[in-house]
């Protein structure tokens, strides 16, 4: 299958062709996050709080799977651009083996360590019990998630974004449909409560993987998983991990951030922990949409870099930045205009709605400027510059925001935590500009 169209078609047309399926699938994924939380919140506010406390662990699992998938994606794209078919196949096959191992290890760690983790943030026995019940089921499906994401990143690496969109949407839509059925016991389905939400999530991942597998078996594609390539090779594994580990750390950092902010917010009251959890569910609509553009950009940059088309790489970066800026501007307007309506989807408590609306207004001040760090980080991953990308993520999620949240909240109260978001985005954008200028 000839892939030269990646370096021949007009950049905007090509980027839109690659990005639009990813944006659509990311929006459906975001819808799943909202719907899942909406139905869990109908159980009780304690159930939603439990989901918010488990969320950092889920971010960690996703970070490892997706981050290593980014490494697989970048290496496959590079070898295809360099016209090295054998190494592209080896990268896909060995990536599948390694991510399966990641899934098994994370299943054990998350199930065994869930109780200890949750007790760091709450003493409410009902919240703890719900968090444990959710964790025991949802993390059992980690291996299926690993397989799904390897196939996802492989299809994306070869430019088959429509297949990736169909499979991602299929798993999410199945999850959305199953959520109310299993949570509330509609029809012949059992009423499982919060366990039903966990089971729906896991089964959605199984369906997503199954759809990818069917497409792989019956649709021709330029990369193949082969038994003869299963033996791990140092060069390929090193290349995948050199990109994948920084990407994993970058994606895992929100887990550390949410945990740290939960500790700070808990000193002001559980309401603010709830608000933070709701914000992170809502912001998935915005940041997953932007991530759809970046997922379309990443293989294009990797392929053109491997093919030596450096001017084209720069144009892809600039065009992607403009598209993400548009997405972030829309998100800013929505959060400023209807914050109360957004929070009201998850609670009827007037004090919580008021606190959540204030948080959304303040945090949204950093959305537009965050475009620069998001696109720069994604472009660096596509170029195989994982360490440079990690520096940007460390600034966004640890080095600036956590100290800022603690310091400013001690000065102005709980709103200081919300102000730390836009402060961090402004400073990180400046750092991203320096990295971009030095590299290019």
């Amino acid at each position: 299958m000839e892939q030269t169209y990646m370096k021949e078609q007009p950049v905007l047309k090509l980027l839109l062709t690659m990005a639009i399926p990813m944006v659509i699938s990311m929006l459906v994924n975001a819808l799943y996050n909202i719907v899942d939380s909406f139905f869990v919140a109908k159980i009780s506010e304690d159930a939603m709080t439990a989901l918010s406390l488990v969320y950092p662990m889920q971010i960690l699992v996703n970070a490892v799977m997706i981050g290593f998938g980014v490494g697989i994606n970048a290496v496959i794209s590079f070898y295809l651009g360099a016209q090295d078919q054998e190494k592209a196949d080896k990268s896909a096959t060995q990536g599948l083996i390694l991510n399966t191992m990641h899934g098994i290890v994370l299943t054990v760690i998350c199930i065994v360590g869930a109780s200890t983790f949750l007790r760091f943030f709450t003493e409410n026995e009902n919240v703890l019990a719900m968090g444990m019940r959710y964790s025991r089921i949802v993390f059992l499906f980690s291996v299926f998630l690993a397989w799904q994401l390897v196939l996802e990143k492989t299809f994306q690496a070869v430019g088959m974004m429509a297949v990736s969109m169909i499979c991602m949407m299929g798993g999410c839509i199945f999850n959305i449909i199953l959520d109310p059925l299993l949570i509330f016991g509609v029809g012949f389905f059992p009423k499982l409560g919060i366990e039903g939400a966990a089971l729906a999530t896991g089964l959605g991942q199984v369906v997503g993987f199954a759809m990818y597998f069917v497409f792989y078996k019956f649709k021709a594609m330029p990369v193949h998983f082969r038994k003869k390539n299963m033996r791990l090779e140092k060069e390929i594994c090193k290349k995948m991990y050199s990109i994948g580990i920084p990407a994993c750390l970058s994606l895992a950092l929100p887990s550390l951030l949410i945990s740290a902010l939960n500790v700070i917010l808990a000193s002001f009251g559980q309401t603010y922990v709830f608000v933070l959890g709701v914000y992170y569910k809502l912001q998935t609509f915005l940041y997953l949409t932007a991530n759809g553009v970046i997922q379309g950009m990443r293989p294009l940059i990797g392929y053109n870099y491997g093919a030596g088309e450096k001017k084209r790489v720069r144009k892809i970066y600039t065009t992607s930045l403009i598209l993400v800026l548009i997405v972030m501007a829309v998100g800013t307007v929505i959060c400023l205009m209807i914050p109360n309506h957004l929070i009201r989807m998850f609670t009827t408590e007037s004090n919580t709605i008021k606190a959540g609306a204030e948080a959304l207004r303040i945090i949204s001040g950093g959305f537009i400027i965050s475009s620069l760090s998001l696109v720069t980080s994604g472009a660096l991953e596509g170029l195989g510059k994982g360490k440079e990308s990690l520096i940007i993520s460390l600034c966004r999620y640890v080095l600036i925001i956590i100290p800022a949240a603690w310091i400013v909240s001690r000065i102005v109260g709980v709103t200081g935590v919300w102000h730390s978001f836009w402060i961090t985005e402004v400073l990180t954008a400046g750092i991203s500009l320096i990295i971009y200028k030095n590299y290019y």
Side-chain angles (χ1 to χ4, degrees):
M1 208 174 189
E2 187 57 52
Q3 297 291 298
T4 54
Y5 70 92
M6 286 194 181
K7 65 176 182 179
E8 293 174 352
Q9 288 192 12
V11 168
L12 180 59
K13 177 185 176 182
L14 183 58
L15 185 59
L16 289 175
T17 301
M18 297 284 278
I20 287 175
M22 291 298 94
V23 169
I24 294 171
S25 56
M26 290 293 103
L27 284 171
V28 174
N29 197 339
L31 179 63
Y32 144 68
N33 275 295
I34 299 295
V35 171
D36 188 57
S37 300
F38 174 80
F39 286 124
V40 169
K42 294 296 181 183
I43 301 172
S44 68
E45 196 162 301
D46 278 354
M48 183 60 195
T49 302
L51 198 67
S52 298
L53 294 178
V54 174
Y55 191 53
M57 296 178 67
Q58 291 180 281
I59 290 177
L60 175 63
V61 173
N62 283 321
V64 173
M65 306 303 187
I66 298 172
F68 188 70
V70 168
I72 297 171
N73 178 289
V75 173
I76 291 174
S77 297
F78 177 83
Y79 283 132
L80 287 175
Q83 304 300 312
D84 193 333
Q85 182 66 51
E86 183 180 0
K87 286 190 176 179
D89 288 347
K90 286 182 177 181
S91 300
T93 306
Q94 293 171 35
L96 180 63
I97 300 292
L98 291 169
N99 225 24
T100 301
M101 295 166 60
H102 300 157
I104 294 169
V105 171
L106 286 168
T107 298
V108 175
I109 291 174
C110 290
I111 292 177
V112 172
S115 178
T116 302
F117 177 81
L118 293 173
R119 288 186 184 278
F120 277 115
F121 309 104
T122 184
E123 295 178 356
N124 185 315
E125 290 299 326
N126 190 40
V127 172
L128 283 169
M130 285 186 164
M132 284 302 301
R133 283 154 48 196
Y134 184 84
S135 299
R136 289 191 187 108
I137 295 175
V138 78
F139 293 121
L140 283 175
F141 294 88
S142 297
V143 172
F144 286 100
L145 177 62
W147 294 340
Q148 177 187 345
L149 287 168
V150 170
L151 287 169
E152 173 188 310
K153 297 306 177 187
T154 302
F155 275 100
Q156 291 174 8
V158 300
M160 298 175 72
M161 298 303 193
V163 171
S164 188
M165 176 187 71
I166 292 168
C167 296
M168 291 172 72
M169 289 178 62
C172 288
I173 292 171
F174 183 82
N175 192 342
I176 290 169
I177 294 171
L178 212 55
D179 253 335
L181 302 179
L182 291 177
I183 291 173
F184 304 114
V186 179
F188 60 84
F189 289 91
K191 184 178 180 180
L192 299 177
I194 198 166
E195 289 99 326
L199 186 58
T201 296
L203 292 176
Q205 292 164 358
V206 173
V207 168
F209 161 68
M211 292 179 69
Y212 275 115
F213 184 76
V214 170
F215 273 108
Y216 174 74
K217 294 295 290 185
F218 296 102
K219 189 175 180 66
M221 65 181 296
V223 173
H224 302 280
F225 300 92
R226 302 184 187 278
K227 288 184 179 179
K228 68 176 184 178
N229 293 330
M230 290 178 65
R231 183 180 177 183
L232 300 179
E233 296 182 12
K234 183 177 179 180
E235 178 193 353
I236 291 175
C237 292
K238 182 179 178 181
K239 200 172 185 68
M240 286 191 291
Y241 275 116
S242 68
I243 303 168
I245 289 176
C248 288
L249 292 174
S250 296
L251 292 165
L253 290 176
S255 175
L256 175 61
L257 171 61
I258 295 171
S259 299
L261 294 183
N262 279 339
V263 172
I264 297 171
L265 291 169
S267 65
F268 294 98
Q270 286 290 310
T271 295
Y272 300 107
V273 174
F274 176 87
V275 167
L276 183 68
V278 170
Y279 162 70
Y280 268 100
K281 293 296 181 179
L282 290 171
Q283 61 95 42
T284 56
F285 261 114
L286 187 60
Y287 282 100
L288 283 181
T289 303
N291 189 44
V293 176
I294 292 168
Q295 287 196 51
M297 170 194 73
R298 194 184 290 122
L300 292 178
I301 282 183
Y303 185 96
N304 282 275
Y305 183 60
E309 299 284 341
K310 294 183 180 180
K311 287 185 179 179
R312 191 170 170 85
V313 167
R314 286 193 289 272
K315 189 170 183 180
I316 292 168
Y317 170 88
T318 304
T319 308
S320 301
L321 180 58
I322 293 170
L323 293 176
V324 172
L325 280 168
I326 294 170
V327 171
M328 291 299 173
V330 172
T332 302
V333 171
I334 292 172
C335 286
L336 290 175
M337 291 182 64
I338 56 168
N340 296 69
H341 296 286
L342 296 174
I343 300 297
R344 197 173 283 121
M345 290 192 296
F346 303 94
T347 182
T348 56
E349 293 290 332
S350 58
N351 289 336
T352 305
I353 293 170
K354 182 180 178 181
E358 182 181 26
L360 283 182
R361 289 192 190 98
I362 295 171
I363 294 172
S364 65
F367 286 168
I368 293 175
I369 193 66
S370 71
S371 303
L372 186 59
S373 55
L374 288 171
V375 176
T376 301
S377 181
L380 289 167
E381 288 170 352
L383 294 168
K385 303 297 178 181
K387 292 179 182 178
E388 290 83 351
S389 175
L390 178 59
I391 291 171
I392 295 172
S393 296
L394 280 169
C395 292
R396 287 190 75 218
Y397 296 117
V398 180
L399 299 179
I400 298 174
I401 190 168
I402 294 177
W406 188 85
I407 293 169
V408 182
S409 68
R410 291 299 175 272
I411 298 171
V412 301
V414 69
T415 57
V417 175
W418 314 135
H419 282 292
S420 69
F421 280 84
W422 68 262
I423 291 170
T424 298
E425 297 297 0
V426 170
L427 295 176
T428 304
I431 293 168
S432 298
L433 274 174
I434 294 170
I435 292 174
Y436 175 82
K437 182 178 179 182
N438 287 342
Y439 184 74
Y440 282 104

